[in-house]
Amino acid sequence: MELSLLFQTLITGLAIGGIYSLMAVGYSLVFSILNFSNFAYGGVIMLASFAGYYAMTLLGANVFVALIISMAAMAVVSLATERVAYSPLRKRNAPPMFFMISAMGLSIFIENLVYATIGAHFYAYPIIFEETTINIFGAALGKMDLFAIVFSIIAIAIMNYFINKTRTGIAIRAASYDSTVATLNGVNLSVVIGLVFVIAGAFAGISGMFLGIKYMAYPNMGWITNKAYIAAVIGGLGSLPGAIYGGVILGIVEAFVSVYITSTYRDVFSFAILIIILLIRPAGLFGKYLEEKV
Amino acid sequence: MFSSYIWGVITVCMYTSIIVVGLAVFTGFTGLVSLGHAAFVAIGAYTCAILTKTFELPFFVGVIGAALTSGLASLIIGYPTLRAKLRSDYFTITTLGFGEAMRVILENLEITNGARGIGGLGNYSHPITVFVILVIVLWVTKNYIFSRYGRMSISVREDPIAAEMAGINVVQVRLRALLFSAICAGIGGAIYAHYIRFIQPSMFISTQSTLYTAIVVAGGMGSITGPCIAACIFTMIPEVLRVADQWRMVAYGAVLVAIMVLRPSGIFGYKEITIRGMRNLVRRLRKQKLIGPEGVEIDE
């Protein structure tokens, strides 16, 4: 077995795994504080791929400006989804299931709105870096992939610092442990939740644009955004390190399955891994044993 | 009496009802959301199609086969995910993955003819046949709901911990409800295959699963007649309006959010439409007291 192919597969897996991680982090962040599956997140990621595409083609922005535009736009969209679809439920203390169904409705709404207005075409991004690759121990790494990996790591590091070291971050963590007690201690829950959605939206902005560059922008990207949810479950729902590792593991496993076993059944293997991990560790790899709040 | 077009719409209403009734037992009575029910429908449709076309067996054998394979698949999915009493989100996301995986499998298998699908199926889904199956399914469902299994499901939905304290095996109850709903979905799929007479994997995508769940939610969780009526409404409105398909789905999404925000118990909530209820309603309207039908309004 050639070592270079092994290494190449690992790098390909890391490149896509990094994007999965970003998506899973945004999704898991919302989960950790509101305790529900934000299925509208896939739709926001899809919108991000279009935001990035239009920023680059219509406005002629370069990749950094486009990333910032996409992040800002998705932060607004994400906050809007919270205010429209979840805020009224939160005020009524509705069970998580209602949040989830509301999110589902929102996801259908966003996806089909794009279908109906922009259409079901594939939109390819303009070329950002020339098609050159960097050689690392005989394995080729595309410049765009390298950029995506580095940018993902920086984004996650900043988020990590923010969550763990700042006062607002502590408020977010406190609210995710127990929102009632956090409120009693003077945390403005509405602001904290809004902020979490803004951060999640920014992450959707980054990951959506990278996905668009890699796979083009089109309305039914759902099959790939679903991977974010699967990665989060593999890592353990509600755990941020879990989401990061879950994404990387899923990306690497998929790359190895496509190269060494079969590329047509790749998605079946991701699903099989999900089932196997749930059989061995029902709470996911890093999951807290979270029972449903009654 | 009716034109064949009207009969067609009625048939669609009926098989959608069969699928949705099963899902109503699962989602409405155990409180878990499935986003992969189209996969169970697909398994049923393909099993029945292969049995009747490739093996030339009679339709009713195909329907039974469809029910069995869908049921078996539900146990394979349900056991690992329902086993630990984790948050229901683990289950929902697994069903989402299951739906995608099923589509990929169907697109690549030899026996399902890949993405091209299977055509030229026999026209067995006569409205009367479907009606008989629907009546049987409804009758079994009613008995299931009012049996101890149904009551156990309700108690698990309301409070899993309290239910467990009362000696109910939560996993078994949920798994049984899932099995029931998968069997219904399989039967519905078998009818669907022989009504459309052509099936391909792209008919069973996750949007379809979401739509089934949306119908149950819109009809009211914890009701059987509600989702049936919602199934008919959701089937007939696009037929009447004949608007572009995408805008219909946009409206579905918006309606779903609106229902959750404004009236989370669905159109009918926990109420059922019965002959006695109708009679009471008429009597009350005669007395000119315009109060709502009996039953406690449960908001959350």
Side-chain angles (χ1 to χ4, degrees):
Chain A
M1 189 159 88
E2 318 94 275
L3 209 64
S4 64
L5 182 62
L6 188 81
F7 201 65
Q8 177 71 62
T9 315
L10 192 68
I11 283 181
T12 316
L14 268 179
I16 186 69
I19 302 178
Y20 288 167
S21 293
L22 279 183
M23 297 196 291
V25 163
Y27 163 76
S28 221
L29 200 60
V30 172
F31 187 92
S32 71
I33 199 155
L34 279 178
N35 272 311
F36 80 102
S37 280
N38 184 12
F39 285 124
Y41 198 62
V44 179
I45 293 171
M46 185 267 293
L47 280 182
S49 72
F50 276 98
Y53 171 77
Y54 283 119
M56 289 189 76
T57 51
L58 291 185
L59 305 177
N62 70 15
V63 65
F64 286 104
V65 179
L67 264 173
I68 288 164
I69 292 175
S70 166
M71 281 167 76
M74 287 318 116
V76 173
V77 169
S78 180
L79 186 65
T81 62
E82 199 275 329
R83 290 293 181 248
V84 171
Y86 311 137
S87 214
L89 296 174
R90 193 156 51 76
K91 290 192 179 113
R92 228 182 21 223
N93 256 331
M97 190 175 144
F98 289 149
F99 283 88
M100 190 157 84
I101 292 165
S102 194
M104 242 163 59
L106 209 56
S107 154
I108 300 177
F109 179 80
I110 295 175
E111 187 177 306
N112 287 286
L113 193 66
V114 172
Y115 242 132
T117 50
I118 301 176
H121 308 292
F122 287 73
Y123 292 88
Y125 275 64
I127 293 163
I128 297 162
F129 298 109
E130 291 85 61
E131 301 281 322
T132 48
T133 51
I134 303 159
N135 255 317
I136 309 169
F137 304 118
L141 172 64
K143 271 188 182 166
M144 192 57 228
D145 282 342
L146 181 68
F147 177 71
I149 292 174
V150 172
F151 203 90
S152 306
I153 291 172
I154 293 171
I156 288 172
I158 292 173
M159 201 263 318
N160 205 31
Y161 174 81
F162 177 75
I163 294 280
N164 287 317
K165 296 282 191 280
T166 61
R167 271 177 71 84
T168 327
I170 292 169
I172 290 174
R173 280 189 295 146
S176 79
Y177 274 107
D178 193 323
S179 51
T180 319
V181 177
T183 315
L184 285 174
N185 281 293
V187 172
N188 188 338
L189 200 60
S190 197
V191 171
V192 164
I193 288 171
L195 196 65
V196 163
F197 272 87
V198 166
I199 298 172
F203 271 75
I206 306 169
S207 52
M209 204 177 132
F210 285 154
L211 276 184
I213 293 169
K214 221 173 162 59
Y215 298 112
M216 297 194 268
Y218 55 101
N220 47 353
M221 286 172 91
W223 67 273
I224 192 142
T225 50
N226 282 349
K227 299 278 171 64
Y229 313 141
I230 292 176
V233 168
I234 288 175
L237 275 175
S239 150
L240 292 187
I244 297 166
Y245 293 125
V248 172
I249 289 169
L250 189 63
I252 290 175
V253 166
E254 280 190 352
F256 273 94
V257 166
S258 336
V259 171
Y260 290 102
I261 304 172
T262 159
S263 59
T264 41
Y265 285 109
R266 191 193 60 193
D267 288 358
V268 179
F269 270 85
S270 340
F271 174 67
I273 289 157
L274 176 70
I275 291 284
I276 290 165
I277 286 185
L278 284 180
L279 275 172
I280 302 166
R281 283 189 62 88
L285 292 177
F286 297 84
K288 294 170 277 182
Y289 200 82
L290 266 180
E291 287 210 7
E292 208 125 9
K293 283 179 189 166
V294 185
Chain B
M1 186 167 68
F2 293 136
S3 68
S4 63
Y5 168 70
I6 304 260
W7 277 119
V9 175
I10 292 173
T11 313
V12 176
C13 288
M14 288 194 289
Y15 72 65
T16 313
S17 294
I18 292 175
I19 297 166
V20 162
V21 159
L23 192 57
V25 168
F26 182 65
T27 298
F29 286 86
T30 60
L32 293 172
V33 176
S34 160
L35 291 181
H37 248 64
F40 294 125
V41 177
I43 293 172
Y46 270 97
T47 308
C48 190
I50 290 165
L51 284 180
T52 56
K53 190 155 185 255
T54 315
F55 296 98
E56 293 176 341
L57 291 164
F59 180 54
F60 80 92
V61 178
V63 173
I64 293 168
L68 289 179
T69 45
S70 291
L72 188 67
S74 77
L75 293 181
I76 295 169
I77 302 308
Y79 180 70
T81 41
L82 299 175
R83 184 180 58 119
K85 278 150 286 174
L86 284 168
R87 303 185 42 83
S88 54
D89 305 78
Y90 282 79
F91 175 77
T92 308
I93 290 161
T94 313
T95 57
L96 200 67
F98 170 61
E100 284 295 306
M102 203 62 226
R103 194 178 52 81
V104 173
I105 292 172
L106 291 177
E107 273 176 4
N108 290 296
L109 276 184
E110 194 92 352
I111 196 164
T112 58
N113 204 15
R116 279 159 301 178
I118 303 176
L121 301 171
N123 183 17
Y124 301 129
S125 294
H126 191 268
I128 294 167
T129 321
V130 182
F131 181 73
V132 171
I133 297 176
L134 175 65
V135 168
I136 295 170
V137 167
L138 282 177
W139 181 73
V140 173
T141 309
K142 178 183 156 280
N143 283 337
Y144 182 87
I145 293 303
F146 289 106
S147 71
R148 44 195 284 269
Y149 298 142
R151 294 184 204 287
M152 276 150 86
S153 298
I154 294 171
S155 72
V156 169
R157 176 191 69 195
E158 292 302 326
D159 194 334
I161 295 166
E164 203 164 25
M165 291 296 291
I168 291 171
N169 186 338
V170 174
V171 183
Q172 211 178 60
V173 166
R174 287 177 168 169
L175 204 55
R176 201 184 285 122
L178 178 66
L179 178 67
F180 186 89
S181 76
I183 288 173
C184 288
I187 295 171
I191 297 169
Y192 174 76
H194 288 279
Y195 169 70
I196 305 282
R197 298 169 71 189
F198 166 73
I199 47 172
Q200 62 179 46
S202 65
M203 290 171 170
F204 308 101
I205 50 171
S206 59
T207 317
Q208 201 63 35
S209 308
T210 315
L211 199 60
Y212 292 135
T213 306
I215 291 174
V216 172
V217 174
M221 283 182 283
S223 167
I224 293 298
T225 43
C228 276
I229 288 168
C232 296
I233 294 172
F234 274 56
T235 312
M236 279 191 279
I237 285 176
E239 295 293 331
V240 174
L241 294 176
R242 281 272 159 221
V243 285
D245 204 40
Q246 264 81 49
W247 285 108
R248 188 187 76 190
M249 291 304 290
V250 173
Y252 275 158
V255 164
L256 207 53
V257 176
I259 288 175
M260 280 301 110
V261 170
L262 303 172
R263 191 176 159 77
S265 52
I267 304 173
F268 297 101
Y270 293 90
K271 294 188 233 24
E272 296 285 356
I273 295 167
T274 54
I275 296 167
R276 192 205 269 169
M278 288 290 188
R279 216 179 280 151
N280 285 346
L281 189 69
V282 170
R283 198 178 300 150
R284 209 172 292 155
L285 286 175
R286 276 205 197 115
K287 285 184 181 169
Q288 295 290 318
K289 278 183 193 164
L290 292 167
I291 22 170
E294 88 275 33
V296 188
E297 184 84 8
I298 304 161
D299 247 332
E300 302 301 349

